[in-house]
Amino acid sequence: GLGHLTDLWGIGTDSARLPRADEISSAIKDAEKWQISGNTVDLPDGVKLDLGAAGKGIGCDYASVILQKYKCKSAVVAVGGSVLLYSTDKDEVFTIGIRNPKGDINEPAAIIEIKACCVSTSGTYERFFEQDGKRYHHIFDPSTGYPAESGLQSVTVISSSGLVSDALSTACLVLGFEESLPLLKEFDAQAVFITDENKVMTTPDFEGLKIADSNFTLVN
């Protein structure tokens, strides 16, 4: 229910600005007053949804259905920050780069080798603006109405579900490393975290990750 909040900040548009504190509190006041029942969403008057945290992952799931329908053997489908790695060969291994948050899109901080799944990355570098020397990015903490400050630059989540990978990458960026671990375990997902200090951390027993940039250090 953060649609009004994202509109208020306007990050990623020409009207990006730092809102007043009273504007922010008003925008998040009714953010949680909506419910899901089956395939129906009950959206009270005045509440506006922002599906940016899950829409790309859902796109990957739809792509998987289409690939199955047409009996495709292998494919890589990118929908923004979410990627579907599709294969009917259970032994096929894909190589995916995790972007250096301070670098170009083609400059990976780390590389993962993994079998068919969905991979989604959320990062503070994706959309932002700067004012008075401070950077404001587009991923908001719903409890404060301000950009999340969890000590993380990016989170990459690996799951069999595009929806889960996309939604959790955003949630984990807000929660921070320690608080994310129980949530990831609940949904049987793996993750790679890059901290503000360029440290790379993963969920327990995650395999297949290699550091690709000497400015980053694997710490677990």
Side-chain angles (χ1 to χ4, degrees), residues 136-168:
Y136 298 92
H137 62 81
H138 76 296
I139 300 177
F140 299 101
D141 183 337
S143 67
T144 66
Y146 287 86
E149 295 185 1
S150 62
L152 299 173
Q153 296 185 79
S154 76
V155 180
T156 298
V157 174
I158 300 96
S159 170
S160 59
S161 161
L163 169 59
V164 169
S165 68
D166 196 6
L168 287 187

mmCIF file of all heavy atoms in Angstrom, residues 136-168:
data_model
loop_
_atom_site.group_PDB
_atom_site.id
_atom_site.type_symbol
_atom_site.label_atom_id
_atom_site.label_comp_id
_atom_site.label_asym_id
_atom_site.label_seq_id
_atom_site.Cartn_x
_atom_site.Cartn_y
_atom_site.Cartn_z
ATOM 1 N N TYR A 136 19.186 9.584 -1.704
ATOM 2 C CA TYR A 136 17.892 8.996 -1.356
ATOM 3 C C TYR A 136 17.515 8.008 -2.454
ATOM 4 O O TYR A 136 17.303 8.405 -3.604
ATOM 5 C CB TYR A 136 16.820 10.084 -1.233
ATOM 6 C CG TYR A 136 17.096 11.092 -0.138
ATOM 7 C CD1 TYR A 136 17.802 12.268 -0.406
ATOM 8 C CD2 TYR A 136 16.651 10.864 1.163
ATOM 9 C CE1 TYR A 136 18.054 13.196 0.602
ATOM 10 C CE2 TYR A 136 16.890 11.787 2.171
ATOM 11 C CZ TYR A 136 17.599 12.941 1.883
ATOM 12 O OH TYR A 136 17.860 13.855 2.882
ATOM 13 N N HIS A 137 17.449 6.722 -2.107
ATOM 14 C CA HIS A 137 17.125 5.701 -3.101
ATOM 15 C C HIS A 137 15.643 5.345 -3.043
ATOM 16 O O HIS A 137 14.897 5.826 -2.188
ATOM 17 C CB HIS A 137 18.009 4.464 -2.904
ATOM 18 C CG HIS A 137 17.841 3.792 -1.581
ATOM 19 N ND1 HIS A 137 16.810 2.923 -1.316
ATOM 20 C CD2 HIS A 137 18.567 3.869 -0.427
ATOM 21 C CE1 HIS A 137 16.910 2.479 -0.074
ATOM 22 N NE2 HIS A 137 17.958 3.041 0.491
ATOM 23 N N HIS A 138 15.219 4.443 -3.934
ATOM 24 C CA HIS A 138 13.791 4.222 -4.186
ATOM 25 C C HIS A 138 13.175 3.072 -3.406
ATOM 26 O O HIS A 138 11.987 2.772 -3.590
ATOM 27 C CB HIS A 138 13.585 3.952 -5.676
ATOM 28 C CG HIS A 138 14.003 2.577 -6.101
ATOM 29 N ND1 HIS A 138 15.311 2.148 -6.019
ATOM 30 C CD2 HIS A 138 13.298 1.528 -6.599
ATOM 31 C CE1 HIS A 138 15.383 0.902 -6.452
ATOM 32 N NE2 HIS A 138 14.182 0.494 -6.795
ATOM 33 N N ILE A 139 13.922 2.418 -2.525
ATOM 34 C CA ILE A 139 13.362 1.302 -1.756
ATOM 35 C C ILE A 139 13.068 1.792 -0.342
ATOM 36 O O ILE A 139 13.992 2.118 0.420
ATOM 37 C CB ILE A 139 14.316 0.097 -1.736
ATOM 38 C CG1 ILE A 139 14.547 -0.374 -3.178
ATOM 39 C CG2 ILE A 139 13.735 -1.034 -0.886
ATOM 40 C CD1 ILE A 139 15.528 -1.506 -3.306
ATOM 41 N N PHE A 140 11.784 1.828 -0.001
ATOM 42 C CA PHE A 140 11.364 2.488 1.228
ATOM 43 C C PHE A 140 11.118 1.522 2.371
ATOM 44 O O PHE A 140 10.659 0.388 2.178
ATOM 45 C CB PHE A 140 10.098 3.304 0.981
ATOM 46 C CG PHE A 140 10.273 4.397 -0.035
ATOM 47 C CD1 PHE A 140 9.819 4.226 -1.334
ATOM 48 C CD2 PHE A 140 10.919 5.570 0.297
ATOM 49 C CE1 PHE A 140 9.998 5.218 -2.274
ATOM 50 C CE2 PHE A 140 11.105 6.577 -0.637
ATOM 51 C CZ PHE A 140 10.641 6.394 -1.931
ATOM 52 N N ASP A 141 11.419 1.979 3.563
ATOM 53 C CA ASP A 141 11.049 1.275 4.790
ATOM 54 C C ASP A 141 9.622 1.700 5.124
ATOM 55 O O ASP A 141 9.388 2.871 5.427
ATOM 56 C CB ASP A 141 12.013 1.667 5.910
ATOM 57 C CG ASP A 141 11.737 0.911 7.208
ATOM 58 O OD1 ASP A 141 10.611 0.433 7.405
ATOM 59 O OD2 ASP A 141 12.652 0.847 8.045
ATOM 60 N N PRO A 142 8.654 0.785 5.062
ATOM 61 C CA PRO A 142 7.258 1.173 5.290
ATOM 62 C C PRO A 142 6.985 1.683 6.696
ATOM 63 O O PRO A 142 5.983 2.360 6.921
ATOM 64 C CB PRO A 142 6.479 -0.118 5.005
ATOM 65 C CG PRO A 142 7.467 -1.213 5.179
ATOM 66 C CD PRO A 142 8.783 -0.651 4.757
ATOM 67 N N SER A 143 7.871 1.375 7.638
ATOM 68 C CA SER A 143 7.653 1.828 9.011
ATOM 69 C C SER A 143 8.044 3.290 9.200
ATOM 70 O O SER A 143 7.581 3.940 10.139
ATOM 71 C CB SER A 143 8.441 0.955 9.993
ATOM 72 O OG SER A 143 9.832 1.133 9.836
ATOM 73 N N THR A 144 8.888 3.810 8.305
ATOM 74 C CA THR A 144 9.343 5.193 8.439
ATOM 75 C C THR A 144 8.899 6.079 7.283
ATOM 76 O O THR A 144 8.768 7.293 7.444
ATOM 77 C CB THR A 144 10.879 5.255 8.520
ATOM 78 O OG1 THR A 144 11.440 4.831 7.258
ATOM 79 C CG2 THR A 144 11.402 4.377 9.645
ATOM 80 N N GLY A 145 8.695 5.491 6.107
ATOM 81 C CA GLY A 145 8.362 6.269 4.929
ATOM 82 C C GLY A 145 9.583 6.857 4.240
ATOM 83 O O GLY A 145 9.460 7.569 3.238
ATOM 84 N N TYR A 146 10.777 6.553 4.758
ATOM 85 C CA TYR A 146 12.028 7.033 4.169
ATOM 86 C C TYR A 146 12.767 5.871 3.519
ATOM 87 O O TYR A 146 12.498 4.693 3.822
ATOM 88 C CB TYR A 146 12.915 7.662 5.245
ATOM 89 C CG TYR A 146 12.432 9.007 5.726
ATOM 90 C CD1 TYR A 146 11.482 9.108 6.747
ATOM 91 C CD2 TYR A 146 12.912 10.190 5.161
ATOM 92 C CE1 TYR A 146 11.025 10.341 7.189
ATOM 93 C CE2 TYR A 146 12.467 11.434 5.604
ATOM 94 C CZ TYR A 146 11.517 11.495 6.614
ATOM 95 O OH TYR A 146 11.069 12.715 7.049
ATOM 96 N N PRO A 147 13.728 6.158 2.623
ATOM 97 C CA PRO A 147 14.523 5.074 2.048
ATOM 98 C C PRO A 147 15.166 4.218 3.138
ATOM 99 O O PRO A 147 15.634 4.733 4.158
ATOM 100 C CB PRO A 147 15.578 5.818 1.219
ATOM 101 C CG PRO A 147 14.880 7.094 0.806
ATOM 102 C CD PRO A 147 14.058 7.467 2.008
ATOM 103 N N ALA A 148 15.163 2.906 2.913
ATOM 104 C CA ALA A 148 15.693 1.965 3.904
ATOM 105 C C ALA A 148 17.170 2.225 4.176
ATOM 106 O O ALA A 148 17.943 2.522 3.261
ATOM 107 C CB ALA A 148 15.503 0.541 3.403
ATOM 108 N N GLU A 149 17.538 2.105 5.441
ATOM 109 C CA GLU A 149 18.936 2.229 5.851
ATOM 110 C C GLU A 149 19.294 0.997 6.675
ATOM 111 O O GLU A 149 19.246 1.015 7.900
ATOM 112 C CB GLU A 149 19.149 3.519 6.651
ATOM 113 C CG GLU A 149 18.909 4.790 5.832
ATOM 114 C CD GLU A 149 19.235 6.050 6.612
ATOM 115 O OE1 GLU A 149 19.665 5.940 7.778
ATOM 116 O OE2 GLU A 149 19.052 7.142 6.051
ATOM 117 N N SER A 150 19.638 -0.080 5.973
ATOM 118 C CA SER A 150 19.889 -1.357 6.626
ATOM 119 C C SER A 150 21.348 -1.775 6.564
ATOM 120 O O SER A 150 21.699 -2.872 6.980
ATOM 121 C CB SER A 150 19.036 -2.445 5.957
ATOM 122 O OG SER A 150 19.404 -2.575 4.594
ATOM 123 N N GLY A 151 22.193 -0.901 6.015
ATOM 124 C CA GLY A 151 23.606 -1.245 5.871
ATOM 125 C C GLY A 151 23.897 -2.061 4.632
ATOM 126 O O GLY A 151 25.012 -2.566 4.475
ATOM 127 N N LEU A 152 22.907 -2.191 3.739
ATOM 128 C CA LEU A 152 23.078 -2.995 2.538
ATOM 129 C C LEU A 152 22.980 -2.144 1.275
ATOM 130 O O LEU A 152 22.167 -1.221 1.196
ATOM 131 C CB LEU A 152 22.015 -4.089 2.473
ATOM 132 C CG LEU A 152 22.012 -5.108 3.617
ATOM 133 C CD1 LEU A 152 20.797 -6.008 3.493
ATOM 134 C CD2 LEU A 152 23.301 -5.928 3.628
ATOM 135 N N GLN A 153 23.828 -2.492 0.291
ATOM 136 C CA GLN A 153 23.736 -1.865 -1.027
ATOM 137 C C GLN A 153 22.857 -2.676 -1.973
ATOM 138 O O GLN A 153 22.181 -2.110 -2.834
ATOM 139 C CB GLN A 153 25.127 -1.742 -1.662
ATOM 140 C CG GLN A 153 26.095 -0.831 -0.936
ATOM 141 C CD GLN A 153 27.382 -0.689 -1.710
ATOM 142 O OE1 GLN A 153 27.440 0.068 -2.683
ATOM 143 N NE2 GLN A 153 28.411 -1.402 -1.303
ATOM 144 N N SER A 154 22.899 -3.995 -1.824
ATOM 145 C CA SER A 154 22.060 -4.830 -2.687
ATOM 146 C C SER A 154 21.814 -6.177 -2.040
ATOM 147 O O SER A 154 22.578 -6.633 -1.183
ATOM 148 C CB SER A 154 22.699 -5.024 -4.068
ATOM 149 O OG SER A 154 23.768 -5.951 -4.017
ATOM 150 N N VAL A 155 20.722 -6.808 -2.461
ATOM 151 C CA VAL A 155 20.399 -8.173 -2.053
ATOM 152 C C VAL A 155 19.954 -8.932 -3.295
ATOM 153 O O VAL A 155 19.099 -8.455 -4.049
ATOM 154 C CB VAL A 155 19.278 -8.216 -1.000
ATOM 155 C CG1 VAL A 155 18.985 -9.676 -0.622
ATOM 156 C CG2 VAL A 155 19.649 -7.428 0.241
ATOM 157 N N THR A 156 20.535 -10.097 -3.499
ATOM 158 C CA THR A 156 20.158 -10.980 -4.595
ATOM 159 C C THR A 156 19.543 -12.236 -4.001
ATOM 160 O O THR A 156 20.167 -12.892 -3.159
ATOM 161 C CB THR A 156 21.385 -11.350 -5.446
ATOM 162 O OG1 THR A 156 21.942 -10.165 -6.020
ATOM 163 C CG2 THR A 156 21.009 -12.323 -6.555
ATOM 164 N N VAL A 157 18.324 -12.567 -4.421
ATOM 165 C CA VAL A 157 17.620 -13.730 -3.865
ATOM 166 C C VAL A 157 17.403 -14.776 -4.951
ATOM 167 O O VAL A 157 17.009 -14.441 -6.076
ATOM 168 C CB VAL A 157 16.275 -13.318 -3.242
ATOM 169 C CG1 VAL A 157 15.475 -14.551 -2.805
ATOM 170 C CG2 VAL A 157 16.506 -12.407 -2.042
ATOM 171 N N ILE A 158 17.665 -16.032 -4.591
ATOM 172 C CA ILE A 158 17.523 -17.156 -5.499
ATOM 173 C C ILE A 158 16.387 -18.038 -5.007
ATOM 174 O O ILE A 158 16.376 -18.451 -3.842
ATOM 175 C CB ILE A 158 18.826 -17.973 -5.585
ATOM 176 C CG1 ILE A 158 19.974 -17.092 -6.079
ATOM 177 C CG2 ILE A 158 18.649 -19.184 -6.475
ATOM 178 C CD1 ILE A 158 20.840 -16.512 -4.991
ATOM 179 N N SER A 159 15.404 -18.305 -5.881
ATOM 180 C CA SER A 159 14.241 -19.089 -5.507
ATOM 181 C C SER A 159 13.682 -19.804 -6.729
ATOM 182 O O SER A 159 13.964 -19.408 -7.871
ATOM 183 C CB SER A 159 13.161 -18.180 -4.906
ATOM 184 O OG SER A 159 11.931 -18.855 -4.733
ATOM 185 N N SER A 160 12.889 -20.828 -6.514
ATOM 186 C CA SER A 160 12.191 -21.474 -7.625
ATOM 187 C C SER A 160 11.061 -20.597 -8.155
ATOM 188 O O SER A 160 10.572 -20.800 -9.263
ATOM 189 C CB SER A 160 11.630 -22.829 -7.187
ATOM 190 O OG SER A 160 10.723 -22.655 -6.104
ATOM 191 N N SER A 161 10.655 -19.606 -7.380
ATOM 192 C CA SER A 161 9.551 -18.702 -7.734
ATOM 193 C C SER A 161 10.061 -17.300 -8.036
ATOM 194 O O SER A 161 10.800 -16.713 -7.241
ATOM 195 C CB SER A 161 8.541 -18.642 -6.581
ATOM 196 O OG SER A 161 7.712 -17.505 -6.676
ATOM 197 N N GLY A 162 9.662 -16.751 -9.179
ATOM 198 C CA GLY A 162 10.021 -15.384 -9.507
ATOM 199 C C GLY A 162 9.401 -14.392 -8.547
ATOM 200 O O GLY A 162 10.049 -13.437 -8.114
ATOM 201 N N LEU A 163 8.133 -14.605 -8.216
ATOM 202 C CA LEU A 163 7.448 -13.735 -7.262
ATOM 203 C C LEU A 163 8.190 -13.699 -5.933
ATOM 204 O O LEU A 163 8.436 -12.624 -5.378
ATOM 205 C CB LEU A 163 6.019 -14.213 -7.054
ATOM 206 C CG LEU A 163 5.235 -13.589 -5.898
ATOM 207 C CD1 LEU A 163 5.136 -12.085 -6.048
ATOM 208 C CD2 LEU A 163 3.851 -14.224 -5.788
ATOM 209 N N VAL A 164 8.559 -14.865 -5.420
ATOM 210 C CA VAL A 164 9.242 -14.935 -4.132
ATOM 211 C C VAL A 164 10.600 -14.259 -4.208
ATOM 212 O O VAL A 164 10.977 -13.474 -3.320
ATOM 213 C CB VAL A 164 9.390 -16.402 -3.674
ATOM 214 C CG1 VAL A 164 10.336 -16.502 -2.479
ATOM 215 C CG2 VAL A 164 8.031 -16.974 -3.313
ATOM 216 N N SER A 165 11.358 -14.526 -5.258
ATOM 217 C CA SER A 165 12.693 -13.945 -5.353
ATOM 218 C C SER A 165 12.641 -12.420 -5.423
ATOM 219 O O SER A 165 13.426 -11.726 -4.763
ATOM 220 C CB SER A 165 13.444 -14.511 -6.567
ATOM 221 O OG SER A 165 12.866 -14.084 -7.786
ATOM 222 N N ASP A 166 11.712 -11.884 -6.193
ATOM 223 C CA ASP A 166 11.592 -10.437 -6.351
ATOM 224 C C ASP A 166 11.114 -9.774 -5.059
ATOM 225 O O ASP A 166 11.696 -8.788 -4.586
ATOM 226 C CB ASP A 166 10.628 -10.136 -7.500
ATOM 227 C CG ASP A 166 10.721 -8.699 -7.993
ATOM 228 O OD1 ASP A 166 11.609 -7.961 -7.525
ATOM 229 O OD2 ASP A 166 9.914 -8.316 -8.858
ATOM 230 N N ALA A 167 10.051 -10.329 -4.476
ATOM 231 C CA ALA A 167 9.503 -9.743 -3.252
ATOM 232 C C ALA A 167 10.507 -9.817 -2.105
ATOM 233 O O ALA A 167 10.671 -8.851 -1.336
ATOM 234 C CB ALA A 167 8.212 -10.447 -2.863
ATOM 235 N N LEU A 168 11.209 -10.943 -1.978
ATOM 236 C CA LEU A 168 12.155 -11.094 -0.869
ATOM 237 C C LEU A 168 13.396 -10.233 -1.044
ATOM 238 O O LEU A 168 13.964 -9.762 -0.058
ATOM 239 C CB LEU A 168 12.560 -12.557 -0.703
ATOM 240 C CG LEU A 168 11.519 -13.501 -0.112
ATOM 241 C CD1 LEU A 168 12.130 -14.870 0.159
ATOM 242 C CD2 LEU A 168 10.919 -12.944 1.167
#
